[in-house]
Amino acid sequence: MVKKALVTGALGHTGSFLVNLLVEKGWKVVATDLESTKRKQLMQKETVFGTKFQYMSINLTGVTFIPADLTDKESLKPLFSEENKDYDVIFHPASLYDYFATIDILRKINVGGLKNLLEVMYETYGNDMPRFLHWSTCGVYGEPKYKKNSKGYILPADETADYNPPNSYSISKMEQEIALKEFAEKHPLKWTIIRPAPIYGPYQTYGAFHIFYTIRKVGHMAIPMIFPKKHKLMMPMIHVEDLVNAAYFLWDKEEAIHQAFNVVSENTTQQEWMEFLCQELGVPYTNIPIWWGLYKFIANIAFGWAAWMEKRARKFGVRPKFDLPMAGYIKHQYFFSNDKIKSLGFKFKYGDPFLGTRQTIRWYIDHGWFEEEPWSLVSEEWTSEYGSKKGKGGK
Amino acid sequence: MVQKKEKEENKMIGFLASFILIYILGHICHPIIKRLRPKHKGAVAWYSTLSIIIPLIIGIIVYIGCFNFLGINGKDLMFNTLFGFIRVANISPDTPGLDVIAAILFISYFFWYIAAKDFSRMMYGQRTYEGGFWWILKPVKKPKGYKKKST
């Protein structure tokens, strides 16, 4: 019997990889996302570095694409028509992942959209709803209170850590989780929450790609070597292939029902990862030994500068080079455990983040994303509909 | 008479001023290289050479007192003044071993230049598409045609 899934946000980075994986596994897939014009207007982050870059195609045999808008409940109903509704599982990676977006828009799309989807599901299936895999983020923990070992080194936070979201996007994801759990208290829904660390991988145009881009654009990096070593900052990450593999792994696991899972590869430090990136990108770097107290002081100044730039960008209705939460990585400690999903037997393809990073950078190089020409597409006037309608790219 | 002597000193440069000058010349060298290369390699080489040689020759001439600078001691000028505006030190020209220190400082002109050039490379990038740290740090520009919203 051929399995069937609904994948929301199917034209996005994770969604497109998930659809391709399911097709590879012989599934029938109903894929949904915003229709192209609306999506283009909303997903301006995807054009920050030029419109040349596109996500993976989902135009495959076995895939039916039905455009829908999560904020418009009526548009979701065709996804659950008589001919389509026999889903074994619903994967819900769709959300607005944009650190520059305001909390109102994030709430409308991410939280309101999830509620609409759940309501339409309930109206369609009643108490017999299919499995539901929801995408959240490790960002819901923010910077948790870490336990320490006898030598003073912190231990990774597991899924029991409290919510402490540090930015608008993470707040919206936390509210999504709360809404999902509240819905499941009233209705029999078998949910599983996936909390990925920052995602990287081929085709990505936002997030980690910003770091790759920046290192190549700067051309010579200064990498801080923080001492004492116990204060070194960690770099949690997950390769997009591992993320969709984890979702596929969890969808039929009874142990995963009503559970949340961190999906993060083995941890490395920011220093080691940056050095590796520089080596892979052929960019010279200089290690600068620095005491933790002084590092924090400088990082706070740098963060303050980034905050000022963002404020200025919003005032002018343009996008800054870096969204503020990305700059937050230089001063916050993010360290998450993947023991729970591994205890179920999941094996990471890119458990070693260096392997995944190398594969990703090689992919960008092989596909011409790092050629000199595309960088010239970068405009100083990156626009966002959230700030202003001025400039190109706005509505 | 004393006042006149101090006024004359103010026209001279010292080691500290030379270092600042060479650092600035080194710092602007890299953006020049970035823009001129590869067609004008010769011009860049001349710029670098002259950036070091001219302050070096002037400094040595002043130091050894080849010309009579109105009776002013060249060693005093080189060690104790910053562009003449500020008297930064008060080292006696008769201090033993001063010539050796001066020779080391003259040689260090070259290294100051290299350090400045390398720092400049980090700040502005090496290849034409690179922007260096300045690319990260430079403030967001006001878009063309931007008008402040009326409240």
Side-chain angles (χ1 to χ4, degrees):
Chain A
M1 177 93 182
V2 177
K3 301 279 185 196
K4 187 174 178 182
L6 170 65
V7 179
T8 65
L11 295 178
H13 185 225
T14 305
S16 56
F17 268 86
L18 182 59
V19 169
N20 277 267
L21 174 73
L22 293 172
V23 169
E24 194 184 305
K25 300 281 184 188
W27 285 49
K28 280 172 75 176
V29 179
V30 173
T32 184
D33 208 314
L34 287 170
E35 59 92 14
S36 61
T37 315
K38 260 189 180 179
R39 195 172 187 285
K40 208 171 177 181
Q41 286 169 353
L42 186 65
M43 297 293 175
Q44 297 211 352
K45 59 167 188 173
E46 292 173 5
T47 60
V48 164
F49 297 124
T51 52
K52 175 182 171 177
F53 308 134
Q54 300 291 329
Y55 288 144
M56 193 192 284
S57 170
I58 58 162
N59 191 11
L60 305 164
T61 310
V63 178
T64 308
F65 182 77
I66 302 173
D69 182 351
L70 285 169
T71 60
D72 175 9
K73 205 169 154 182
E74 286 303 309
S75 75
L76 297 173
K77 289 182 177 171
L79 301 173
F80 299 95
S81 63
E82 280 305 314
E83 56 177 305
N84 287 326
K85 69 175 190 179
D86 52 334
Y87 301 122
D88 295 284
V89 57
I90 294 171
F91 294 102
H92 181 49
S95 72
L96 178 60
Y97 169 48
D98 188 341
Y99 288 126
F100 196 63
T102 61
I103 186 70
D104 293 338
I105 289 176
L106 288 163
R107 279 197 175 119
K108 183 183 171 191
I109 296 171
N110 295 353
V111 186
L114 173 68
K115 285 178 180 173
N116 285 341
L117 180 64
L118 292 172
E119 283 168 18
V120 176
M121 281 168 59
Y122 184 66
E123 286 165 16
T124 308
Y125 301 105
N127 288 337
D128 193 25
M129 287 178 276
R131 275 293 289 269
F132 188 78
L133 264 82
H134 172 68
W135 260 247
S136 183
T137 170
C138 276
V140 296
Y141 305 124
E143 193 174 5
K145 285 183 181 172
Y146 297 104
K147 291 171 187 166
K148 290 181 181 175
N149 68 10
S150 56
K151 291 181 180 173
Y153 286 85
I154 58 166
L155 300 170
D158 63 17
E159 288 80 352
T160 60
D162 293 333
Y163 289 133
N164 182 24
N167 54 61
S168 300
Y169 170 72
S170 299
I171 289 169
S172 77
K173 298 306 280 184
M174 176 195 72
E175 290 176 355
Q176 270 190 324
E177 287 195 12
I178 292 168
L180 176 62
K181 287 171 185 172
E182 283 176 355
F183 178 86
E185 279 173 13
K186 295 175 194 162
H187 310 292
L189 175 69
K190 293 178 179 176
W191 57 263
T192 299
I193 292 174
I194 294 171
R195 291 178 183 151
I199 304 162
Y200 70 99
Y203 292 100
Q204 194 190 34
T205 58
Y206 190 64
F209 181 66
H210 264 74
I211 302 174
F212 303 151
Y213 174 86
T214 300
I215 289 176
R216 190 168 163 86
K217 179 77 182 172
V218 169
H220 190 128
M221 290 306 293
I223 301 175
M225 292 170 66
I226 296 167
F227 66 87
K229 284 181 181 176
K230 65 182 178 184
H231 288 300
K232 280 184 187 290
L233 296 173
M234 305 303 291
M235 187 67 216
M237 290 180 299
I238 184 68
H239 192 285
V240 64
E241 286 183 40
D242 275 333
L243 175 57
V244 298
N245 283 338
Y248 185 78
F249 172 81
L250 289 171
W251 86 267
D252 62 346
K253 292 274 179 297
E254 288 297 315
E255 307 94 306
I257 294 172
H258 299 161
Q259 296 292 320
F261 292 88
N262 294 343
V263 184
V264 51
S265 57
E266 302 307 328
N267 287 282
T268 182
T269 62
Q270 288 185 13
Q271 182 198 324
E272 287 169 333
W273 190 62
M274 291 292 284
E275 287 172 4
F276 184 76
L277 277 185
C278 289
Q279 288 163 16
E280 290 296 308
L281 288 165
V283 170
Y285 64 92
T286 309
N287 283 117
I288 301 173
I290 186 166
W291 172 61
W292 171 237
L294 181 60
Y295 174 83
K296 266 205 300 188
F297 177 71
I298 294 169
N300 277 320
I301 292 173
F303 189 77
W305 182 262
W308 176 74
M309 296 248 267
E310 194 197 61
K311 194 178 166 188
R312 198 172 152 85
R314 283 192 192 280
K315 181 180 164 191
F316 295 147
V318 298
R319 276 195 90 109
K321 288 193 187 74
F322 306 97
D323 294 331
L324 196 56
M326 290 186 188
Y329 276 85
I330 63 172
K331 61 178 230 168
H332 294 300
Q333 181 64 280
Y334 299 125
F335 190 22
F336 306 113
S337 162
N338 59 12
D339 288 347
K340 189 172 176 182
I341 193 167
K342 284 201 295 188
S343 70
L344 293 184
F346 180 70
K347 288 190 170 55
F348 289 89
K349 183 178 176 186
Y350 298 107
D352 178 351
F354 296 114
L355 283 180
T357 303
R358 173 169 287 157
Q359 181 264 358
T360 302
I361 289 176
R362 293 287 156 89
W363 184 92
Y364 283 131
I365 292 169
D366 291 347
H367 289 76
W369 284 38
F370 280 166
E371 281 171 12
E372 199 167 325
E373 187 196 350
W375 310 119
S376 64
L377 295 171
V378 176
S379 165
E380 292 295 332
E381 297 174 14
W382 298 331
T383 56
S384 165
E385 68 175 29
Y386 317 123
S388 161
K389 290 170 186 171
K390 282 184 170 49
K392 53 187 175 179
K395 266 185 178 174
Chain B
M1 192 64 194
V2 174
Q3 279 179 348
K4 190 184 175 189
K5 189 178 176 184
E6 280 178 358
K7 201 176 174 186
E8 291 302 331
E9 277 182 5
N10 288 353
K11 291 177 183 172
M12 306 304 165
I13 60 167
F15 278 120
L16 196 56
S18 301
F19 291 152
I20 293 169
L21 180 69
I22 287 171
Y23 195 86
I24 292 168
L25 290 170
H27 197 79
I28 59 174
C29 172
H30 210 79
I32 290 172
I33 291 173
K34 208 172 141 181
R35 278 163 185 76
L36 295 185
R37 167 179 90 169
K39 285 185 180 174
H40 305 285
K41 275 182 180 169
V44 173
W46 272 112
Y47 170 82
S48 299
T49 308
L50 294 175
S51 296
I52 300 170
I53 293 292
I54 291 174
L56 188 65
I57 290 172
I58 292 172
I60 290 171
I61 287 172
V62 170
Y63 185 82
I64 62 176
C66 267
F67 300 103
N68 180 9
F69 284 102
L70 301 171
I72 300 164
N73 189 311
K75 291 182 183 180
D76 182 47
L77 273 177
M78 291 304 290
F79 277 106
N80 295 332
T81 68
L82 167 66
F83 283 116
F85 298 117
I86 307 164
R87 194 166 181 85
V88 292
N90 200 19
I91 300 165
S92 167
D94 301 325
T95 308
L98 214 55
D99 292 346
V100 177
I101 295 170
I104 292 168
L105 291 175
F106 279 128
I107 291 166
S108 76
Y109 280 21
F110 176 76
F111 298 104
W112 274 101
Y113 187 83
I114 297 294
K117 193 169 73 68
D118 286 353
F119 182 70
S120 173
R121 189 173 63 184
M122 284 176 75
M123 283 304 291
Y124 306 113
Q126 184 166 11
R127 299 181 179 91
T128 47
Y129 64 87
E130 289 175 357
F133 283 104
W134 178 239
W135 181 80
I136 297 178
L137 295 171
K138 71 179 172 186
V140 174
K141 277 185 189 170
K142 191 186 284 187
K144 283 175 190 171
Y146 170 78
K147 283 179 188 169
K148 198 176 180 180
K149 285 175 191 169
S150 58
T151 51

